[in-house]
Amino acid sequence: MDIAPLRRLTSFQIIILLFAAVILAGALLLMLPVASQSGRVTPFDETLFTATSAVCVTGLVVQDTATYWSYFGQAVILLLIQIGGLGVVTVASAIALVAGRRISLMQRGTMQEAISAPKVGGIVRLTGFILRAVFLVEGIGAACLAPVFVRDFGLRGVWMAVFHSISAFCNAGFDLMGAPGAEYASLTAYRADPVVNLVIMGLIVVGGIGFLTWDDIRTNGFRLHHYRMQSKVILVTTAVLIVAPAAWFFFDEFSALPLGERVWMSLFQSVTPRTAGFNTADLTSLSGLALAVTIVLMLIGGSPGSTAGGMKTTTVAVLFANAIAVFRRREEGRFFGRRISVKASCDAAAILLLYVTLFFFGGFIISSVEGLPLADCLFETASAVGTVGLSLGLTPSLGLVSRGVLIFLMYMGRVGGLTLIYAALAGAAKTGSKLPQERITIG
């Protein structure tokens, strides 16, 4: 086979094509009769939606994972979640390493883009560390969940512990607890269980802070002053985005609940929208303000080079730093004694505009096509583009056009809007010339 055309592809083009290929393969596997409990062939539009949701680690479903899919189907979904969480490039590289194949410079460059590494040097070592750490953390999570699930579900609880550990770490939000309204729908039955809450939240946070932050923690321990600026920004922003919403949920939304349940639900509801998709609260009973807070958290998402989606914590942090710089009449934003590059500031503004545009236009289209309230549709589109998976129950009843919109949003949210744009404009000519500058008034 002539691989010359593949060598001419950019890293961004390779990433989006690999994601698309895995989604298609997963959709075809889920169409097999053995994948469903009924033994029937599932329509392609339903398997495509499920495979996209799994690879893009979202969690939105058109068929209940626990009751519709067989063990084979659930295993396929879990494999897709694992591939999507790690990144298809990382998985492909891991297979090449195990097979003893040499990783070319082009492949190293693609790996660098896939995990948002600052440089190509040491990328193979970093990938090996990521794989070992991922399976260790997921194994610990499954071991901690197993006693609770085996108590409630018997031997099947072992499979459920493994499934939920991987799903939580990969920020996927797929669960085997049953459809909304069931006794164990999502994790609502465990809203006051400290083990399930701590383990699931811990897996979500660890998976969502990014692989480079792990590397900093491994290398420097708790000597925070030795961390990269990015790791410091991620940890501080993550802490703020957990504590501040949790405090609001505690004192306002869940104030009528018993203290223990109130604490766990407040923390869980601030963690899960970024971008896991599990829930311990009945979302349909939340106030409009609580849903708005959840939408904001879903759009922000996790951190670069992690299993999470969304705009990313660093994007929001850079936007705030730039705003402070403008207020204080400085030329650039700053973090921890370092200035932010102009490119990072421009990227942050572009990502914000892109996500807000996708979020609103997706909601408008679904609301118009389905005749549903715009607010409810915006919740679903925020969940899709943020690759979260929280839902008000609309997704299973949506028509083909609306499902297509959500598939597109999930794909954009996972591969990254800028990645897709860079891939599309890879052939654009670059010149060293500059146009004349003229002043424009802002604000």
Side-chain angles (χ1 to χ4, degrees):
M1 184 179 73
D2 183 12
I3 62 171
L6 293 177
R7 291 175 177 168
R8 290 197 292 269
L9 294 176
T10 66
S11 298
F12 301 111
Q13 290 170 335
I14 291 172
I15 290 170
I16 65 171
L17 288 176
L18 284 176
F19 264 100
V22 173
I23 288 171
L24 180 59
L28 295 175
L29 284 174
L30 290 174
M31 287 183 70
L32 297 174
V34 70
S36 66
Q37 291 190 18
S38 64
R40 72 180 184 90
V41 176
T42 305
F44 178 70
D45 64 289
E46 293 184 8
T47 63
L48 179 64
F49 189 99
T50 304
T52 303
S53 184
V55 175
C56 297
V57 290
T58 304
L60 290 174
V61 296
V62 292
Q63 296 288 354
D64 179 56
T65 310
T67 58
Y68 182 84
W69 302 106
S70 65
Y71 278 109
F72 175 81
Q74 292 171 12
V76 170
I77 290 172
L78 192 62
L79 178 61
L80 295 176
I81 289 171
Q82 187 73 86
I83 293 173
L86 284 172
V88 289
V89 175
T90 304
V91 173
S93 302
I95 294 172
L97 288 173
V98 171
R101 292 177 55 189
R102 182 177 175 275
I103 307 297
S104 68
L105 184 60
M106 184 189 78
Q107 291 169 325
R108 291 168 191 256
T110 305
M111 293 163 64
Q112 177 194 7
E113 296 292 348
I115 62 175
S116 302
K119 58 183 180 179
V120 175
I123 196 70
V124 175
R125 177 197 60 80
L126 179 59
T127 300
F129 160 69
I130 290 170
L131 292 170
R132 291 191 299 272
V134 164
F135 295 126
L136 175 63
V137 171
E138 290 175 344
I140 293 173
C144 293
L145 291 173
V148 178
F149 290 159
V150 169
R151 178 197 67 197
D152 294 336
F153 301 98
L155 193 58
R156 182 170 178 265
V158 175
W159 168 242
M160 295 178 69
V162 173
F163 190 99
H164 288 88
S165 178
I166 295 174
S167 183
F169 176 81
C170 292
N171 281 233
F174 279 82
D175 68 80
L176 299 179
M177 295 297 176
E183 180 184 358
Y184 289 94
S186 192
L187 297 175
T188 52
Y190 298 100
R191 56 185 173 272
D193 188 301
V195 174
V196 173
N197 276 273
L198 280 173
V199 172
I200 296 295
M201 285 192 294
L203 289 168
I204 292 170
V205 172
V206 171
I209 61 174
F211 301 135
L212 290 181
T213 307
W214 292 8
D215 190 49
D216 256 342
I217 295 172
R218 180 191 63 149
T219 305
N220 301 302
F222 294 102
R223 295 173 295 174
L224 298 179
H225 58 285
H226 288 303
Y227 285 17
R228 301 179 183 91
M229 180 189 73
Q230 174 171 302
S231 297
K232 295 177 184 177
V233 170
I234 286 172
L235 292 173
V236 170
T237 307
T238 298
V240 170
L241 290 174
I242 292 174
V243 174
W248 180 82
F249 280 116
F250 181 85
F251 289 109
D252 188 272
E253 189 68 23
F254 302 135
S255 58
L257 298 175
L259 180 60
E261 189 173 323
R262 185 179 172 189
V263 169
W264 291 121
M265 288 185 68
S266 299
L267 284 170
F268 201 92
Q269 195 58 34
S270 70
V271 170
T272 192
R274 303 177 36 254
T275 55
F278 295 106
N279 62 285
T280 55
D282 179 7
L283 298 180
T284 59
S285 67
L286 297 182
S287 66
L289 184 55
L291 292 178
V293 170
T294 303
I295 286 175
V296 171
L297 293 175
M298 288 195 293
L299 290 175
I300 293 173
S303 303
S306 72
T307 62
M311 291 188 295
K312 304 295 188 293
T313 53
T314 48
T315 300
V316 175
V318 167
L319 291 171
F320 269 98
N322 285 339
I324 293 171
V326 171
F327 299 153
R328 302 184 69 172
R329 295 182 177 273
R330 291 200 302 251
E331 290 187 358
E332 69 282 311
R334 300 175 184 176
F335 289 124
F336 303 103
R338 299 288 188 271
R339 61 188 176 89
I340 303 168
S341 69
V342 174
K343 182 182 184 305
S345 299
C346 292
D347 285 350
I351 289 171
L352 174 64
L353 179 61
L354 180 64
Y355 270 80
V356 170
T357 302
L358 291 171
F359 160 62
F360 276 112
F361 271 90
F364 292 157
I365 292 172
I366 294 175
S367 178
S368 176
V369 171
E370 304 290 339
L372 295 170
L374 178 60
D376 293 348
C377 296
L378 288 175
F379 191 93
E380 303 293 308
T381 55
S383 183
V385 77
T387 70
V388 182
L390 293 176
S391 175
L392 296 179
L394 302 185
T395 300
S397 62
L398 295 179
L400 199 58
V401 173
S402 299
R403 289 183 184 181
V405 171
L406 292 181
I407 287 174
F408 174 73
L409 292 178
M410 289 189 289
Y411 188 70
M412 288 286 285
R414 183 53 185 152
V415 302
L418 287 184
T419 299
L420 206 59
I421 291 171
Y422 290 156
L425 301 179
K430 297 181 181 179
T431 65
S433 61
K434 294 183 178 180
L435 295 172
Q437 187 179 71
E438 188 169 340
R439 180 175 178 178
I440 182 171
T441 303
I442 302 296

